[in-house]
Amino acid sequence: MHPYGSMRSHGAGTLRADHTDATVTLAGWVSRRRDHGGVAFLDLRDASGTCQVVADPSASAALAAAHEVRPEWVLQIHGTVRRRPEGMENPSLATGEVEVAASSVTVLSPAETPPFPLEGGVEADETLRVRHRYLDLRRETPAHGLRLRAQITSLIRRVMESHGFIDVETPMLTRSTPEGARDFLVPTRAGDGVAYALPQSPQLFKQLLMVAGVERYYQLARCFRDEDLRADRQPEFTQLDVEASFIDEEDLYALFEELFATLWREILDVELATPFPRLSYDEAMRRFGTDKPDTRFGLELVDLAAVFADTEVGVFRGALDAGGVVVAVTLPGGAALTRKQLDDWVDWAKGRRAKGLAWGAVEDGEDGPTLRSPLTKFMSAAEVDALLRATGAGVGDLIFFGAGPATFTRELMGALRVALAQDRGLIGPGSPAEGRWDFLWVTDWPLFEWNPDEARWDPLHHPFTAPREQDLPHLTDDPGAVAARGYDLVLNGTELGGGSIRIHHPGVQQQVFDVLGITPEEAQEKFGFLLRGLAHGAPPHGGIAFGLDRMVMLMAGVASIRDVIAFPKLARGYDPMTDAPARVDDAQLREVGLRRLPPQ
Ligand code: ASP
């Protein structure tokens, strides 16, 4: 195929000073038009970039046509490349040294006036942009997002295939996969009351591919989860989905450290330090109050149980006596916060269902540092001393205290840590963290978490994750103490992906189902196909999945995954372009055995 298609000789964005005097044929969109009567300037844009075209009376038909055209019309231009007159060069444009003197201008398609400006970096309303996404994608930033995404997926394929992984497609029309979200159902004419589920992930299929002897599988898999669309989720999204046999955690860590190092080197020109650091889930929770720590800044949580073991500070006493924790976050220089600022942080905590947020400012006293705090009158001098030693806080610093149930309090203080970092400019645009890429494996997850509302154990990941060998006996006597062979990869405080070594013995799988309250009959009914597969010679295997959209978003440096998806959905899964989801008519419903309920 001709590099630019047979209707063109060159890409508009490829012309340079060495093309001077070449006759060229270009085709593309008018991005801007300046008509001075005697001469008309058109900026012509195609996928390769933009070039200035000039029509003047030396080619009167071309000039007449140029008078007619409007932004976003599609044109074909014949002409000659020439240097721009001195002083008229545009250094911000790759083609800025040259222009094309048009000998003819042909209109291939006129266009309506765009409903929002495509040039000039004006941010139009997102609903309007997504409604006309075909126009939005003509803009540089979203167009770049798509190209970058394609470059990333191509590199992913190269690295995966260099390690013998093969791309296998798994079904879209299938049964429920338990990943903890709601399924999208696809009713069908096949029978009464039956429906397919769209896959939340290819989990069970990739495990069965291991039983099948594929050994190394990958897929850029579309997954579907009918979740409340919190901040940055899409009901359908893409994962780099991977599974391999006869491997352990170390094999996967090494593979993905290589993959990410390659992506960062080839796309961002950044050399990542490998191996990536590792942190156990417990340590992540203790030091950062989250399972996805952002390690680009300090402000780590400090446990104060030892400092306040004999305390008379009521809230601390109460929390510790109830088996909870007292945790501090120290803000350097924070003693200068005004009363109003401190009250705002207390309100911030209350907004997260905390009862309050205690604080203490370290000040210069007569015999060394003292604590100015509503709690000071209950605190002994020895406690203040021990507190300053434990936190490392010095004069001018502020200590925030959280006290209460362990997980809630740690998560609260972890969120406070991040909010303080944002507020103080430790992360975000222009911060010292800019340009830092802190990758981190989080390991040694618990297999189960207690769900107090339903009074049952839930899997922390999914029910196919292998327990650590030495913890197998605890499946029956102490499920909460069983560690999983699971891992997550975190980047700058965002979860990039996660996975695990899987259970490959049907017996262990049933034991895990037992803990989760899934009876053998239910297990057969829901996952019989997996259990039958496992019984036919399953190799030890494991895998992982990474959110591709988020990965591209972080690499592109944009704020939302919607910016790196060709046709994204907005709040509540709404697509303003196709107007989906749309009402289906009664006849269609009847065909698949459904009837509309009367409105409530
Ligand atoms: N299926 C998992 C997920 O989608 C990933 C994995 O365990 O490989 O989160």
Side-chain angles (χ1 to χ4, degrees):
M1 195 167 106
H2 186 285
Y4 298 102
S6 43
M7 294 182 67
R8 292 188 287 206
S9 66
H10 290 77
T14 66
L15 299 180
R16 299 288 182 275
D18 351 330
H19 290 99
T20 305
D21 295 333
T23 51
V24 296
T25 308
L26 305 179
W29 288 261
V30 176
S31 68
R32 226 191 280 254
R33 175 176 156 278
R34 293 175 304 285
D35 199 333
H36 300 303
V39 292
F41 294 93
L42 306 175
D43 286 348
L44 194 75
R45 167 185 9 92
D46 67 16
S48 68
T50 299
C51 183
Q52 175 164 289
V53 173
V54 190
D56 63 27
S58 67
S60 55
L63 180 60
H67 285 321
E68 294 304 306
V69 308
R70 293 289 175 270
E72 302 311 315
W73 285 32
V74 185
L75 308 182
Q76 188 184 43
I77 307 255
H78 293 291
T80 310
V81 180
R82 67 182 186 209
R83 296 290 295 236
R84 291 198 193 188
E86 220 176 298
M88 305 297 274
E89 297 92 348
N90 179 356
S92 64
L93 201 64
T95 61
E97 281 189 315
V98 296
E99 61 191 12
V100 172
S103 54
S104 81
V105 171
T106 310
V107 175
L108 300 178
S109 285
E112 289 179 13
T113 304
F116 54 90
L118 303 189
E119 300 291 329
V122 193
E123 267 317 301
D125 167 63
E126 190 176 25
T127 307
L128 190 64
R129 287 196 290 113
V130 173
R131 183 171 161 75
H132 298 277
R133 186 69 166 158
Y134 40 83
L135 290 177
D136 195 32
L137 287 172
R138 291 183 194 166
R139 296 161 64 240
E140 184 41 36
T141 307
H144 171 73
L146 286 197
R147 281 196 295 270
L148 186 76
R149 185 183 180 110
Q151 227 184 325
I152 292 171
T153 53
S154 157
L155 267 174
I156 288 174
R157 291 184 184 284
R158 194 184 85 200
V159 173
M160 296 309 293
E161 284 161 19
S162 76
H163 287 279
F165 284 80
I166 64 165
D167 175 9
V168 182
E169 287 175 276
T170 52
M172 291 280 118
L173 294 177
T174 177
R175 293 182 71 112
S176 179
T177 333
E179 296 282 359
R182 227 172 283 123
D183 286 319
F184 279 102
L185 297 179
V186 185
T188 156
R189 290 173 306 165
D192 235 8
V194 295
Y196 296 104
L198 297 179
Q200 291 189 32
S201 84
Q203 184 63 33
L204 300 178
F205 290 100
K206 66 176 173 176
Q207 291 192 238
L208 290 168
L209 286 172
M210 296 305 107
V211 177
V214 166
E215 292 198 9
R216 295 187 176 199
Y217 144 94
Y218 86 99
Q219 184 181 193
L220 292 166
R222 197 64 67 81
C223 303
F224 304 85
R225 297 182 190 178
D226 192 3
E227 293 181 292
D228 309 327
L229 294 169
R230 275 169 290 145
D232 215 9
R233 302 261 179 151
Q234 290 279 308
E236 59 179 307
F237 58 95
T238 308
Q239 282 187 350
L240 164 58
D241 194 49
V242 177
E243 198 76 7
S245 298
F246 307 116
I247 50 126
D248 65 11
E249 291 85 336
E250 297 300 329
D251 291 298
L252 290 173
Y253 296 162
L255 171 64
F256 289 102
E257 284 166 6
E258 178 191 330
L259 174 69
F260 285 103
T262 306
L263 287 171
W264 258 249
R265 182 182 315 117
E266 297 204 12
I267 293 187
L268 299 177
D269 204 15
V270 167
E271 222 30 73
L272 295 180
T274 56
F276 299 155
R278 299 177 195 177
L279 208 59
S280 71
Y281 170 86
D282 275 344
E283 192 177 345
M285 289 303 293
R286 269 188 290 109
R287 288 174 52 195
F288 302 98
T290 171
D291 53 21
K292 30 183 175 297
D294 189 341
T295 51
R296 291 175 299 167
F297 60 94
L299 311 187
E300 287 188 23
L301 278 53
V302 173
D303 189 282
L304 299 177
V307 171
F308 293 114
D310 302 314
T311 193
E312 279 164 26
V313 178
V315 275
F316 296 173
R317 182 75 278 140
L320 293 173
D321 286 349
V325 295
V326 179
V327 172
V329 167
T330 301
L331 182 64
L337 259 57
T338 62
R339 192 55 203 239
K340 161 86 174 60
Q341 286 171 311
L342 288 169
D343 289 346
D344 286 348
W345 284 113
V346 175
D347 288 343
W348 172 93
K350 286 182 178 161
R352 300 184 152 248
R353 294 183 296 113
K355 292 212 191 75
L357 183 68
W359 51 265
V362 187
E363 292 181 339
D364 226 350
E366 271 165 27
D367 344 288
T370 58
L371 201 66
R372 170 172 56 88
S373 164
L375 301 177
T376 316
K377 51 180 175 295
F378 309 104
M379 246 184 246
S380 70
E383 278 174 339
V384 172
D385 244 22
L387 169 69
L388 297 184
R389 249 177 293 122
T391 56
V395 172
D397 298 344
L398 185 83
I399 305 172
F400 284 106
F401 300 97
T407 306
F408 177 86
T409 305
R410 290 197 176 115
E411 287 179 349
L412 174 78
M413 298 306 277
L416 174 69
R417 173 180 174 267
V418 174
L420 287 169
Q422 274 157 351
D423 185 66
R424 299 260 123 180
L426 300 179
I427 47 177
S431 73
E434 209 168 52
R436 261 184 79 164
W437 300 102
D438 279 22
F439 283 86
L440 176 75
W441 291 106
V442 178
T443 64
D444 301 295
W445 293 70
L447 193 59
F448 305 107
E449 76 186 328
W450 182 248
N451 178 337
D453 300 334
E454 309 279 337
R456 59 151 200 247
W457 293 104
D458 283 338
L460 212 68
H461 188 195
H462 52 53
F464 316 107
T465 297
R468 220 167 35 177
E469 192 74 24
Q470 65 264 40
D471 294 342
L472 282 175
H474 297 312
L475 278 178
T476 39
D477 64 30
D478 188 6
V482 179
R485 292 184 68 186
Y487 31 77
D488 267 14
L489 185 63
V490 173
L491 169 57
N492 293 350
T494 302
E495 182 199 326
L496 270 190
S500 56
I501 302 299
R502 323 296 183 189
I503 299 167
H504 67 282
H505 284 299
V508 177
Q509 186 63 75
Q510 185 56 53
Q511 270 187 295
V512 168
F513 287 153
D514 288 345
V515 176
L516 299 173
I518 302 175
T519 64
E521 295 69 38
E522 270 175 275
Q524 275 307 329
E525 134 90 24
K526 285 190 179 140
F527 316 115
F529 61 105
L530 175 74
L531 298 174
R532 280 194 296 282
L534 292 182
H536 280 280
H541 63 283
I544 194 161
F546 295 97
L548 181 73
D549 308 293
R550 201 170 293 172
M551 195 192 304
V552 180
M553 172 189 96
L554 292 170
M555 293 186 81
V558 295
S560 160
I561 60 169
R562 296 187 298 278
D563 294 331
V564 297
I565 294 174
F567 296 103
K569 294 183 178 57
L570 300 182
R572 290 183 304 283
Y574 176 57
D575 171 11
M577 189 178 76
T578 62
D579 220 6
R583 222 178 145 79
V584 284
D585 63 36
D586 289 334
Q588 254 181 317
L589 286 180
R590 216 174 306 117
E591 260 194 331
V592 295
L594 294 177
R595 194 156 21 93
R596 209 183 300 280
L597 289 175
Q600 301 262 317

